[in-house]
Amino acid sequence: MFSFLKISLYRKKLIVYFCVMLAISILIGALLANTILSSQIMALNQDAQRAFERVESELEKKKGEAEYFIQGIYGDKRLLSDMMQFIGNSCESYLSARLRGAVMGIAAPSLVSAVDEFALVNGSSVYHKISFHSQNTAKANVIYFDTANRDIHFMVDNGSFIFEGDTRESIVFERNLASAENPRESIGYARFAMGTDWLLSLVRQYNLSGAAVADKSGHLLALGVMDEGRQEILRRIVASGQNQGWESGLYYTVFTSAQNEYLLVTAYDTPYVFSSVQDMLLIVFIGIAALYFTLILLVCINMRHEAEFLTSMLGNINKMERGLFEPMANKYGLKNEYGIIANALNRMGVKLERHIRTNYLLKISQQEAEMLAMQRQINPHFLYNTLEIIRSSATLANADEAADSIASLGRMYRDMVSGAMDVNIAQETEYLTAYLEIMELRHRGVFCYQTEVDECVQLCRTIKFWMQPIAENFFRHGFDKDSEYNMFVMTAKKGERGISVRFVDNGAGIPEDQLASINQSLQEKPDLNAEKSVGLRNVYARLKYRYGDALEMRLENNEEAGITVYVEIPCGGVDDV
């Protein structure tokens, strides 16, 4: 299974795979754990949010009940009269006023009794005190509910310490009291101070035992059961001003009431946060560990197969040396098995290169033989045409013209039968010129020609005797003996990819569909034994043997008359073959 570890290259690769996959596994595990913890924290936040909304709702309900209580007082004239006597008076004055207004046999309503009933109906544990403050005397009469028995304090100063502690111990809201005679005139206000312990009882219903209520200055109003250390942490949380986060091993959320001037702080111990998701985290850890070791096992299996393949290659290296391959760079040296293989392949490359060269020379020889066969087809064809011209001149008793024709023909064949397979552009142009001179003598007065070769391309090497067949093609298909003016122009200039040669005539032209067929036929391999190989396809085949894919040859109709043969070939040096 682990036999590949004997190979140093695979030992290094295994270490790399081990480290990379371990890093990826840790990253994936951390992302999944973070996702799970985030979902748990989100759930805790939602619980705290629901608890806060419940507290806010209950406070608004208590405010509504207090408002309804005050409205009930104003709806009962006798009770309203008793409240007016209660506000701003001492105990003696209040009792005296009640006695003066008493009616025999009829129980007089009492504000104190109404307040007792209100507190009892709404929960005596909710309110600490309910006080009625006078606008004129700056005094208040306070009804306490802190003790087992209800207690009343008369004529307490509005600025007394009795009220200073309310903001630190209670949630307070006030209701303005209007005069019975003039509703626009304020006679004072009623003040309801509710304890905060009942708020915590609401919060605990949402499994938030670590919650506390605080005012906005940071004082803790209700703590539940917690030690001094936890209280100090909660104070720091409130003082930080943050809505949520981690503090001293606690995850906390803080909700601020805009209407009631208090803060609800929920805090969870870190073990509690993790306890609800520890099973899921364990499953994730086991799954990632199983995936990691599975991938390591697959890598080991793959490396074992590679090692077997490498061993097989080393065992058959002597047989492979008879194959075909070029030398390769050996970046391993002889330090490992890949280096040994590369070194062996380099040795085989020397032998393969010799084999390639041999095949290449045989192929070139075959191409030259095919080119010579095509050239032998051209020579008789041209000879027949030229002899016909000379015969015509002799028939017309034009000795000078016949003599010039014979001289041009002899010059052409002397160069044609020379052993050289290639010539330069200037020499090839001379062959073309000799042929055109013969044709000009034959068609004196109705034919003219022009050749122009840039000096920079004159010494570029090319194959011999390929321009003349293009000119001959013009006389076979485009020349009009009845026309007073037939023209053939050859230009050779330096192009973007080498030499750009143009053969332009003013002949009959070619129909577009036939022109497309001719251009297509140029791409086909010619049959050396068929007559149709003579002509433009023959020229294309010979140039293709020489230049390969660098050759471009096509025919196009001119706008006014005739055709243009475009030939693009590389510019070879004097020593090119």
Side-chain angles (χ1 to χ4, degrees):
M1 176 65 184
F2 299 98
S3 58
F4 65 91
L5 292 177
K6 298 179 181 178
I7 303 174
S8 61
L9 177 64
Y10 289 116
R11 288 198 298 270
K12 296 178 181 178
K13 289 176 66 175
L14 182 61
I15 293 174
V16 172
Y17 287 145
F18 180 89
C19 295
V20 170
M21 286 191 290
L22 180 61
I24 294 175
S25 300
I26 293 174
L27 178 60
I28 294 175
L31 292 175
L32 291 176
N34 181 69
T35 301
I36 295 172
L37 287 175
S38 297
S39 64
Q40 170 64 6
I41 289 174
M42 185 180 298
L44 295 176
N45 289 340
Q46 291 174 350
D47 289 340
Q49 179 69 35
R50 287 193 292 268
F52 175 70
E53 292 172 354
R54 171 71 184 282
V55 169
E56 285 287 89
S57 175
E58 289 296 325
L59 286 176
E60 291 301 316
K61 181 179 178 181
K62 295 301 180 184
K63 286 184 178 180
E65 292 171 352
E67 179 65 25
Y68 183 79
F69 170 68
I70 297 298
Q71 290 178 0
I73 294 176
Y74 277 88
D76 187 339
K77 292 183 179 181
R78 298 177 65 192
L79 186 59
L80 176 60
S81 175
D82 190 74
M83 183 184 71
M84 295 299 177
Q85 296 170 356
F86 183 80
I87 296 174
N89 289 320
S90 63
C91 180
E92 293 78 7
S93 298
Y94 170 62
L95 293 177
S96 297
R98 280 183 59 80
L99 290 174
R100 286 193 299 270
V103 177
M104 184 67 67
I106 300 176
S110 169
L111 175 65
V112 175
S113 298
V115 170
D116 287 342
E117 184 179 358
F118 168 77
L120 180 63
V121 170
N122 293 281
S124 58
S125 62
V126 174
Y127 294 94
H128 284 175
K129 63 176 79 75
I130 298 176
S131 56
F132 293 82
H133 298 254
S134 172
Q135 186 77 20
N136 298 326
T137 63
K139 299 291 184 178
N141 293 338
V142 185
I143 304 174
Y144 284 92
F145 299 96
D146 290 340
T147 60
N149 299 318
R150 181 256 303 149
D151 194 8
I152 303 175
H153 288 194
F154 286 86
M155 303 303 289
V156 178
D157 194 25
N158 285 343
S160 172
F161 70 93
I162 295 177
F163 302 110
E164 290 179 356
D166 284 351
T167 56
R168 297 187 180 183
E169 302 171 358
S170 309
I171 295 176
V172 178
F173 55 87
E174 299 174 349
R175 204 280 193 184
N176 185 56
L177 301 176
S179 171
E181 292 77 14
N182 185 6
R184 295 184 178 181
E185 179 183 357
S186 175
I187 63 171
Y189 58 92
R191 193 168 188 267
F192 298 82
M194 293 185 297
T196 54
D197 291 336
W198 71 278
L199 295 180
L200 290 182
S201 66
L202 295 176
V203 172
R204 292 189 185 98
Q205 296 177 12
Y206 294 88
N207 198 25
L208 301 176
S209 58
V213 178
D215 61 20
K216 291 188 176 181
S217 62
H219 297 93
L220 299 178
L221 306 181
L223 300 172
V225 180
M226 59 181 68
D227 55 33
E228 184 61 30
R230 192 180 185 90
Q231 294 179 20
E232 181 59 28
I233 295 174
L234 293 179
R235 293 188 185 95
R236 290 201 301 268
I237 291 173
V238 173
S240 69
Q242 301 295 322
N243 293 329
Q244 65 182 29
W246 295 86
E247 177 67 31
S248 301
L250 296 179
Y251 174 76
Y252 67 89
T253 57
V254 179
F255 298 91
T256 303
S257 174
Q259 293 83 12
N260 300 299
E261 300 294 320
Y262 77 95
L263 305 176
L264 177 63
V265 184
T266 62
Y268 308 90
D269 294 316
T270 301
Y272 175 82
V273 176
F274 282 89
S275 62
S276 57
V277 295
Q278 61 184 2
D279 293 338
M280 189 175 297
L281 291 176
L282 180 61
I283 293 173
V284 169
F285 172 79
I286 294 175
I288 292 177
L291 177 62
Y292 172 76
F293 287 109
T294 300
L295 292 176
I296 288 293
L297 180 62
L298 291 176
V299 169
C300 292
I301 294 174
N302 183 60
M303 286 186 176
R304 185 190 66 177
H305 292 318
E306 289 184 4
E308 291 175 353
F309 174 74
L310 182 59
T311 303
S312 177
M313 287 184 64
L314 292 174
N316 292 278
I317 195 67
N318 292 328
K319 296 179 181 179
M320 293 175 60
E321 287 181 344
R322 296 194 296 269
L324 178 63
F325 202 78
E326 294 182 354
M328 61 176 290
N330 183 1
K331 63 180 180 180
Y332 300 105
L334 296 177
K335 296 180 180 179
N336 54 45
E337 289 74 13
Y338 282 147
I340 296 174
I341 293 175
N343 190 50
L345 291 176
N346 286 338
R347 292 197 306 270
M348 288 186 289
V350 175
K351 299 179 181 180
L352 294 173
E353 185 178 6
R354 295 173 185 171
H355 184 65
I356 291 172
R357 286 181 178 178
T358 301
N359 284 350
Y360 178 77
L361 293 175
L362 289 174
K363 182 178 180 181
I364 293 300
S365 299
Q366 179 65 24
Q367 290 178 349
E368 290 179 352
E370 292 178 357
M371 290 174 63
L372 287 173
M374 287 187 290
Q375 186 170 342
R376 284 194 295 272
Q377 289 180 338
I378 293 173
N379 294 345
H381 184 76
F382 173 69
L383 177 62
Y384 298 150
N385 289 337
T386 305
L387 290 177
E388 176 60 25
I389 293 172
I390 296 172
R391 187 192 66 80
S392 299
S393 299
T395 302
L396 297 173
N398 191 341
D400 292 338
E401 183 176 306
D404 292 340
S405 298
I406 293 172
S408 296
L409 179 62
R411 186 171 67 253
M412 287 185 61
Y413 269 86
R414 180 178 64 250
D415 295 329
M416 188 181 300
V417 298
S418 64
M421 285 294 298
D422 67 326
V423 293
N424 57 43
I425 294 296
Q427 291 172 324
E428 180 64 13
T429 304
E430 290 179 2
Y431 303 156
L432 174 63
T433 303
Y435 172 76
L436 292 176
E437 286 176 354
I438 295 173
M439 303 309 293
E440 187 180 35
L441 292 173
R442 173 66 182 85
H443 303 286
R444 186 182 300 279
V446 295
F447 171 71
C448 65
Y449 71 91
Q450 180 181 348
T451 59
E452 180 182 352
V453 180
D454 286 354
E455 184 177 355
C456 61
V457 301
Q458 289 182 357
L459 297 181
C460 292
R461 308 298 290 179
T462 185
I463 61 174
K464 184 167 60 176
F465 209 65
W466 65 271
M467 294 184 179
Q468 181 274 335
I470 297 177
E472 183 179 359
N473 190 72
F474 162 66
F475 285 100
R476 294 182 61 187
H477 303 289
F479 184 82
D480 185 4
K481 63 181 180 179
D482 297 327
S483 174
E484 296 181 356
Y485 182 67
N486 290 275
M487 179 186 68
F488 186 87
V489 178
M490 187 281 288
T491 60
K493 299 180 179 180
K494 183 69 174 178
E496 294 182 357
R497 297 184 299 173
I499 308 171
S500 178
V501 187
R502 301 289 183 268
F503 301 91
V504 183
D505 65 61
N506 64 342
I510 305 173
E512 291 297 332
D513 56 344
Q514 185 178 353
L515 182 66
S517 177
I518 293 174
N519 282 323
Q520 178 64 30
S521 68
L522 290 179
Q523 311 301 321
E524 300 174 359
K525 181 175 177 61
D527 183 359
L528 300 180
N529 298 318
E531 184 179 354
K532 65 179 182 179
S533 296
V534 180
L536 295 179
R537 292 183 63 237
N538 189 297
V539 171
Y540 177 83
R542 295 174 63 211
L543 292 174
K544 188 69 173 180
Y545 277 136
R546 172 63 182 264
Y547 300 111
D549 293 336
L551 168 69
E552 181 179 353
M553 182 176 177
R554 69 184 185 278
L555 281 68
E556 293 183 3
N557 282 317
N558 300 326
E559 292 185 2
E560 296 182 357
I563 66 170
T564 298
V565 180
Y566 294 87
V567 180
E568 299 280 347
I569 59 176
C571 180
V574 176
D575 297 330
D576 289 348
V577 177

